[in-house]
Amino acid sequence: MEQMTQLFKALSEEMRLRILMLLMHGELCVCDLMAIFNEPQSKVSRHLAYLKNSGLIKGRRVGKWMHYALKEPMDGVFQAQLDLIKTQLTHNPLFEEDLKKMEEEKKKKDRCGEDSAITKEDKNHGKRTDK
Amino acid sequence: MEQMTQLFKALSEEMRLRILMLLMHGELCVCDLMAIFNEPQSKVSRHLAYLKNSGLIKGRRVGKWMHYALKEPMDGVFQAQLDLIKTQLTHNPLFEEDLKKMEEEKKKKDRCGEDSAITKEDKNHGKRTDK
DNA sequence: TTTTCATATTCGTTTATACGGATATGATAT
DNA sequence: ATATCATATCCGTATAAACGAATATGAAAA
């Protein structure tokens, strides 16, 4: 019950909704989100912390960057809510714009942890940092 | 967008969720809700006002009573959210208990505006509404 | 080790919510 | 008109959220 009200509190703030909508398409790091939203770092991090505390997302460290993704496995109730929200908000111009900016951001080579996955050996001389 | 965040704010409080779950089964007046929740009148009215301002419910005056019901027609996005919430919360003990108390409350004859519906003409033609 | 970079967290402040008790309002009853 | 009833709203207060700027932390680079 309290988990439920906490879920809705997490969903009741615009930036948090925007973050969740983006993470439905995959992992992102804080610097990506800062670039996409053009918002100060403390604000982005604060909302990420809120989402994490609410049980919606998880973070993992990749070198000096923090990558965030939807929590896996996601609570069934939460998942159903996210599915619904996705259908309801996907065609909203604000989110479409965010998505477009995200794609552009991902194209940029030499982003934070490079393309979010591969390419770790290059800089780490073959050593793996995790995963 | 703001309508969306406002919706989630409305859903992020326990009593407001309980009220909505009950109104899915039909109209109720403030005094019913006070009795079901055993909570002070100002608290119940405050949350009803919040739900009304959020566009989820409407009130109509019936004599000296105010009857509240889900807004009709309900915004499509809102309706989908309520449908989902209903499936997710129906089997929660708290809401089951509320529902049971609601039924008991409805059985009580000589409630506020009688059985929430008909009986408008009767009492407007000189019949007593309490006793 | 020292510096730098990405991010988290803290600080002081502002705004929003929530609460119970008290009072205002609007309709009916006397 | 006055009283009463059901409800809305206001009061003072308490807690939670939100913000940008500043600072702390932890990993990598120099």
Side-chain angles (χ1 to χ4, degrees):
Chain A
M1 186 57 216
E2 191 189 334
Q3 187 203 29
M4 200 68 180
T5 55
Q6 184 57 39
L7 165 65
F8 289 125
K9 278 178 193 159
L11 299 177
S12 70
E13 206 278 337
E14 179 172 315
M15 173 169 290
R16 291 198 292 264
L17 279 180
R18 294 169 77 184
I19 291 172
L20 289 171
M21 289 293 285
L22 289 179
L23 293 187
M24 288 185 201
H25 295 269
E27 195 175 62
L28 288 173
C29 73
V30 180
C31 52
D32 288 330
L33 293 167
M34 287 168 61
I36 294 165
F37 300 146
N38 191 34
E39 292 275 9
Q41 179 263 322
S42 69
K43 184 171 175 178
V44 174
S45 281
R46 188 152 14 93
H47 287 301
L48 285 167
Y50 197 108
L51 288 170
K52 194 164 79 159
N53 290 339
S54 304
L56 284 160
I57 68 176
K58 61 180 165 49
R60 68 181 182 101
R61 188 170 273 283
V62 179
K64 35 187 183 180
W65 300 274
M66 281 297 292
H67 286 213
Y68 285 93
L70 296 183
K71 192 175 165 192
E72 201 84 35
M74 174 85 72
D75 173 282
V77 168
F78 288 10
Q79 186 62 59
Q81 282 289 343
L82 290 189
D83 289 345
L84 178 55
I85 289 168
K86 185 173 183 178
T87 69
Q88 293 180 332
L89 298 181
T90 294
H91 298 302
N92 177 308
L94 175 62
F95 296 105
E96 286 178 340
E97 188 63 27
D98 284 346
L99 204 57
K100 199 189 307 181
K101 284 188 191 153
M102 185 186 75
E103 302 298 356
E104 286 167 20
E105 204 57 33
K106 280 187 173 176
K107 274 185 198 124
K108 291 183 189 167
K109 245 315 175 190
D110 295 340
R111 278 166 61 238
C112 40
E114 288 97 311
D115 343 77
S116 311
I118 7 168
T119 57
K120 220 70 234 316
E121 322 83 50
D122 306 0
K123 291 226 171 142
N124 291 0
H125 314 301
K127 301 174 201 163
R128 303 167 115 237
T129 54
D130 74 321
K131 185 197 165 191
Chain B
M1 185 57 216
E2 191 189 334
Q3 186 204 31
M4 200 67 178
T5 55
Q6 184 56 42
L7 166 65
F8 289 125
K9 278 179 194 161
L11 298 177
S12 70
E13 206 279 336
E14 179 172 316
M15 173 170 290
R16 290 198 291 263
L17 279 179
R18 294 169 76 185
I19 290 172
L20 289 171
M21 288 294 285
L22 289 178
L23 294 188
M24 287 185 203
H25 295 270
E27 196 176 62
L28 289 172
C29 73
V30 180
C31 53
D32 289 331
L33 293 167
M34 289 169 60
I36 294 165
F37 300 145
N38 190 34
E39 293 276 10
Q41 179 262 321
S42 69
K43 183 171 176 179
V44 174
S45 281
R46 188 156 11 95
H47 288 300
L48 285 168
Y50 197 108
L51 289 170
K52 194 165 78 159
N53 290 338
S54 304
L56 284 160
I57 67 175
K58 62 180 164 51
R60 69 181 180 101
R61 188 170 273 282
V62 178
K64 35 187 183 180
W65 300 275
M66 281 297 292
H67 287 213
Y68 285 92
L70 297 183
K71 193 177 165 191
E72 202 84 38
M74 173 85 72
D75 173 282
V77 168
F78 288 10
Q79 187 61 59
Q81 282 289 342
L82 291 189
D83 289 346
L84 177 55
I85 289 169
K86 186 172 183 179
T87 69
Q88 293 181 333
L89 298 180
T90 294
H91 299 301
N92 177 307
L94 176 61
F95 296 105
E96 287 178 339
E97 188 63 26
D98 284 346
L99 204 57
K100 198 188 308 178
K101 283 190 193 150
M102 185 186 75
E103 301 297 354
E104 286 167 20
E105 204 58 32
K106 280 187 173 175
K107 274 187 199 120
K108 291 182 187 167
K109 243 316 174 192
D110 294 338
R111 280 164 62 238
C112 39
E114 286 101 308
D115 344 77
S116 312
I118 349 167
T119 60
K120 199 83 195 305
E121 320 81 53
D122 299 356
K123 70 176 195 232
N124 288 350
H125 293 351
K127 303 246 174 124
R128 317 224 340 232
T129 60
D130 59 19
K131 169 235 73 154

